[in-house]
Structures are given as structure tokens and as C-alpha cells.
Amino acid sequence: GENVEQHPSTLSVQEGDSAVIKCTYSDSASNYFPWYKQELGKRPQLIIDIRSNVGEKKDQRIAVTLNKTAKHFSLHITETQPEDSAVYFCAASYTGGFKTIFGAGTRLFVKA
Amino acid sequence: GAGVSQSPRYKVAKRGQDVALRCDPISGHVSLFWYQQALGQGPEFLTYFQNEAQLDKSGLPSDRFFAERPEGSVSTLKIQRTQQEDSAVYLCASSWMNTDTQYFGPGTRLTVL
């Protein structure tokens, strides 16, 4: 069945450093890849997404890259700040399907 | 405007009881999703509605789980004869279409004793 694998499960960085989280997906039909941030006890919130017709998208300190051939996509956070500390989830879905598959999450700690 | 709301926020049930969880999506959103999130895990897909039609219920773990959205807005997830393994946070999300930004509700934390 469909699967999204996410690595690492935990990531600790120093404030100001970059953080990279990687995901791979199994369903080649997937064409929409969102990333959600979930702070402790809060609801997941979209931070960035990418569709399969582009290879990279950037929004200020956050960027996402997509490699359709390898079926993997990555989240890049530059100049990390303590408020970036949260759990990040990648996900995959496709037009015409209805299921969104989430990764298991990456807990990011940004040390001041 | 108001975001997605869910009620109750917390529910404690004795094993064997039936529970009903409510989701109020953002007005006008066609798509509605239910997820189950276990502690330390990602949201796991349960079911999907497009307006009032339940187009995918492949994630429902057993026939004790039932969801409906009769008028294409508010949705209810019902769990019959709850068991301890049903303990989790149940998240509802809505969006304009299924491959679009999903707006999540705060979740209902279900604890089955």
C-alpha cells in the first residue's frame, strides 16, 4: 500500500544552523506534497507545499525540493530559530485519489 | 472567519461505550478528512468526504468506526463499543479540494479506560 517514510525522527541543531528533513513516498501517482508543523498540544499547520510540476519552492527561510524520479522530497529550514522547534510532518496525496498519507514526523529541537 | 472546530476536546469513555465526535469544517470547504493520531505518530488517514459523499473509508480500522456528513458540512465520527486501542487524538481537517491545503481542527483526545 501507500507509504511515506520520514527521516530523521529527531533532529537537534544550534540556532542559526540549517535543518533538513527527508521523505520518500511509494505511490508514483502522488503529485501533491505538503509539509505541516505541529507544536506540542496544537493542531498541524501547513508551512509549505509543492506540486509535482515543480522541483523546488521557497518561502523565506523554508524551502522544499522534489525528486520525482527518486520519489523523495525534502524540507530545508535555514537560519533556524528556537520557535522553529516543533514536530514536522511530510505528506503525499494525488489528484483523483482521496487519501493523504503522512510521515511519522521529525521532532526538531533548535538550541539557543 | 472561524477555523475548523471539533467537539468535545476531551472524551473519556469506559470500554464498551459508544462515542460521537463532531467536526465543524470551514464554511464552503468541499473536502473533509478524519485522521487518527497516536502519541508520537503522524496523522493516520481514516476517511474522506467530498460534500456529503464518503468517497474513501479505507482507513477506518474496523466496522466499529462510522462517519457521516449528511448535509455536506458538519461531520460526525462514531465509534461503537470502544476499546483501549481506540485511545488517540482524532483530527478533522477540511479543504477546498483533496489536493489542497488542509486546515486542521484542534482534535478530540479520546481516552478509553
Side-chain angles (χ1 to χ4, degrees):
Chain A
E2 307 97 331
N3 186 47
V4 174
E5 293 190 0
Q6 183 171 347
H7 300 281
S9 56
T10 306
L11 180 59
S12 184
V13 300
Q14 204 67 38
E15 182 178 3
D17 287 351
S18 294
V20 180
I21 302 170
K22 299 182 179 181
C23 290
T24 58
Y25 59 97
S26 61
D27 191 343
S28 56
S30 297
N31 62 358
Y32 176 63
F33 307 92
W35 286 87
Y36 289 85
K37 176 183 180 181
Q38 187 174 30
E39 297 178 23
L40 190 63
K42 301 284 183 66
R43 68 190 78 188
Q45 291 192 301
L46 182 82
I47 54 170
I48 196 167
D49 57 10
I50 191 168
R51 298 186 187 274
S52 60
N53 57 345
V54 298
E56 184 173 358
K57 183 177 178 180
K58 190 173 182 180
D59 182 4
Q60 299 181 357
R61 297 186 297 110
I62 295 172
V64 57
T65 58
L66 171 65
N67 183 327
K68 286 188 296 182
T69 303
K71 292 193 285 188
H72 66 70
F73 56 113
S74 300
L75 177 71
H76 305 253
I77 306 174
T78 58
E79 301 170 23
T80 54
Q81 301 166 3
E83 51 265 38
D84 294 331
S85 297
V87 180
Y88 292 81
F89 295 100
C90 61
S93 63
Y94 65 96
T95 308
F98 311 112
K99 185 180 296 188
T100 299
I101 305 299
F102 280 77
T106 296
R107 186 173 296 277
L108 174 65
F109 296 96
V110 180
K111 295 176 286 186
Chain B
V4 179
S5 61
Q6 291 185 244
S7 61
R9 291 293 313 279
Y10 303 91
K11 177 69 179 177
V12 178
K14 291 183 179 178
R15 188 162 55 94
Q17 281 185 332
D18 297 349
V19 299
L21 313 180
R22 177 187 169 108
C23 173
D24 283 83
I26 293 173
S27 178
H29 276 187
V30 168
S31 297
L32 187 145
F33 303 79
W34 281 100
Y35 296 93
Q36 181 188 63
Q37 187 174 28
L39 192 63
Q41 297 296 315
E44 192 163 336
F45 173 84
L46 294 177
T47 188
Y48 169 80
F49 288 88
Q50 184 171 294
N51 295 309
E52 70 279 2
Q54 188 176 22
L55 299 185
D56 190 332
K57 54 181 181 179
S58 63
L60 296 176
S62 77
D63 58 8
R64 296 186 295 103
F65 288 71
F66 171 78
E68 60 182 4
R69 193 186 185 197
E71 297 178 358
S73 55
V74 170
S75 178
T76 303
L77 176 67
K78 297 179 180 178
I79 308 173
Q80 298 177 322
R81 304 181 303 281
T82 53
Q83 300 180 5
Q84 285 191 319
E85 59 263 31
D86 299 335
S87 296
V89 174
Y90 290 85
L91 292 166
C92 170
S94 71
S95 64
W96 290 111
M97 51 186 286
N98 60 305
T99 51
D100 204 351
T101 303
Q102 292 183 33
Y103 295 88
F104 282 83
T108 295
R109 183 177 296 278
L110 173 65
T111 303
V112 182
L113 303 177

